[in-house]
Amino acid sequence: MKPPITVSVTGAAGQIGYALLFRIATGEIFGKDQPVRLRLIEIEPALPALLGVVMELDDSAFPLLNSIITTTDLDEGFTGASWALLVGSVPRKAGMERGDLLGINGKIFTSQGKAIARNAAKDVRVLVVGNPCNTNALIAMRNAAGVPEDRFFAMTRLDENRAKSQLASKAGVHASDVTNLCIWGNHSATQYPDFTNAKIEGKPVTEVIRDEEWLRGEFITTVQQRGAAIIKARGASSAASAANAALDTMKALISPTPDGDWHSVAVCSDGSYGIEPGLIASMPIRTKADGTWEVVQGLPIDAFSQEKIDATIAELKEEREAVKDLLS
């Protein structure tokens, strides 16, 4: 057995956290020879529920689960973390503007970024799931002095999975037959699921699905508004699918990307595709054999796609402006 790896999870008693923890404990992410330590972080009112989650983890008797620590203290929670999954955030409530949400959650991620810098392992990777995740990741990154910018990620894999599912359904194939699908920009209603570079069974999507009106219209809006549709249908936001996407993201960042393919995750822009450096924006990413990642370069961007990308990047700039006082 290898030495245990520490995974810290905020909002661990919530629905997404609950769906994450058991799959991490099974060895699904890091392998069947990799023990795991869990550090579970919650706010005080959620501690009783978190105790119940821990009881279930104990009762599962996972061979790879080395230890569990529960805490409300960020310094304790992020001690030694090689992965910090920032799941917990304040949800948007009726009458609340997006700017209000940014301000409330921004303060949370300011503290978390500083605590990660003080306490996490030197190889820490930070995946932000709590919304608005791109700007929350930006705030955490800018407050985590000394942690390299390429360690911060915001989750857009859920959007990628949703887009693949929609294309597969339209084409009458399995979602696994859809590759090279990139989500550009913000995890919001402005995101752009790029069908122009995607493939179905190795063929360009536009050759398999001839309905251009659907691709440019209903397909994009369905992906952009899927989260709202799920809230309307089940009376609660996405949980299991969000947890699954977080795990997919971790696996994609740990394992080499299959030749010729890419995956979606929001990273700190280096200026690729004209996206302003320093913004946390979703782009096509390839993970290399040595465990590092790179932005896939040279993808053709037509005028339609560029307009969509420009719109979502503009929103990210607006969000950054709204939280500028929280950016160190």
Side-chain angles (χ1 to χ4, degrees):
M1 285 286 183
K2 301 175 181 177
I5 186 172
T6 299
V7 179
S8 297
V9 182
T10 70
Q15 290 193 66
I16 297 174
Y18 184 83
L20 277 171
L21 297 175
F22 295 85
R23 292 175 63 183
I24 292 173
T26 64
E28 176 182 339
I29 306 304
F30 302 110
K32 298 299 182 181
D33 61 346
Q34 178 60 69
V36 176
R37 296 190 185 106
L38 293 176
R39 287 183 174 261
L40 309 182
I41 304 167
E42 263 297 0
I43 58 175
E44 192 77 35
L47 286 180
L50 184 57
L51 174 60
V53 174
V54 172
M55 291 168 69
E56 285 202 76
L57 286 165
D58 287 340
D59 292 350
S60 298
F62 292 116
L64 293 172
L65 185 51
N66 182 274
S67 63
I68 306 170
I69 289 174
T70 63
T71 185
T72 61
D73 182 81
L74 294 178
D75 287 318
E76 182 180 24
F78 291 120
T79 296
S82 290
W83 277 90
L85 307 182
L86 308 188
V87 177
S89 64
V90 176
R92 187 171 178 176
K93 300 181 177 70
M96 184 183 289
E97 298 296 329
R98 189 173 180 85
D100 298 330
L101 187 66
L102 284 166
I104 294 168
N105 281 322
K107 294 179 177 63
I108 295 171
F109 286 84
T110 296
S111 299
Q112 291 178 359
K114 291 177 179 178
I116 288 167
R118 288 193 300 265
N119 300 284
K122 292 190 179 301
D123 64 350
V124 67
R125 299 189 194 191
V126 182
L127 174 60
V128 180
V129 177
N131 286 316
C133 63
N134 292 60
T135 298
N136 287 340
L138 175 65
I139 293 167
M141 180 186 76
R142 293 282 291 271
N143 283 278
V147 180
E149 292 180 340
D150 64 1
R151 306 287 183 80
F152 287 84
F153 309 92
M155 189 178 80
T156 54
R157 183 57 178 262
L158 178 55
D159 308 304
E160 178 186 327
N161 289 348
R162 288 167 169 169
K164 286 181 174 179
S165 176
Q166 293 298 315
L167 291 173
S169 178
K170 184 72 170 179
V173 300
H174 193 271
S176 61
D177 294 321
V178 182
T179 60
N180 303 90
L181 193 292
C182 172
I183 301 295
W184 293 93
N186 200 5
H187 173 64
S188 74
T190 68
Q191 63 175 272
Y192 174 50
D194 184 4
F195 63 88
T196 66
N197 286 297
K199 297 179 181 180
I200 297 176
E201 296 181 325
K203 299 177 182 178
V205 162
T206 50
E207 291 183 10
V208 178
I209 299 174
R210 299 289 185 172
D211 190 344
E212 186 173 341
E213 182 179 353
W214 180 85
L215 286 170
R216 289 175 173 240
E218 184 180 340
F219 163 66
I220 294 173
T221 56
T222 297
V223 176
Q224 290 175 334
Q225 299 171 12
R226 186 69 164 184
I230 289 172
I231 291 173
K232 183 178 179 180
R234 71 184 293 261
S237 59
S238 307
S241 60
N244 182 69
L247 297 171
D248 282 347
T249 303
M250 294 173 72
K251 286 184 280 190
L253 290 169
I254 291 170
S255 305
T257 306
D259 289 345
D261 203 357
W262 50 77
H263 58 92
S264 304
V265 65
V267 298
C268 184
S269 173
D270 62 357
S272 294
Y273 297 97
I275 297 172
E276 184 178 324
L279 285 176
I280 299 288
S282 186
M283 289 181 261
I285 301 299
R286 178 179 293 119
T287 303
K288 297 184 285 187
D290 64 359
T292 61
W293 59 267
E294 62 184 359
V295 177
V296 176
Q297 301 293 333
L299 297 186
I301 307 296
D302 63 16
F304 175 82
S305 297
Q306 190 63 60
E307 181 181 356
K308 297 294 185 183
I309 294 170
D310 288 346
T312 192
I313 297 304
E315 183 182 54
L316 285 173
K317 292 178 181 179
E318 291 172 2
E319 291 187 7
R320 180 184 61 187
E321 179 65 19
V323 299
K324 62 183 180 180
D325 59 321
L326 300 176
L327 304 178
S328 297

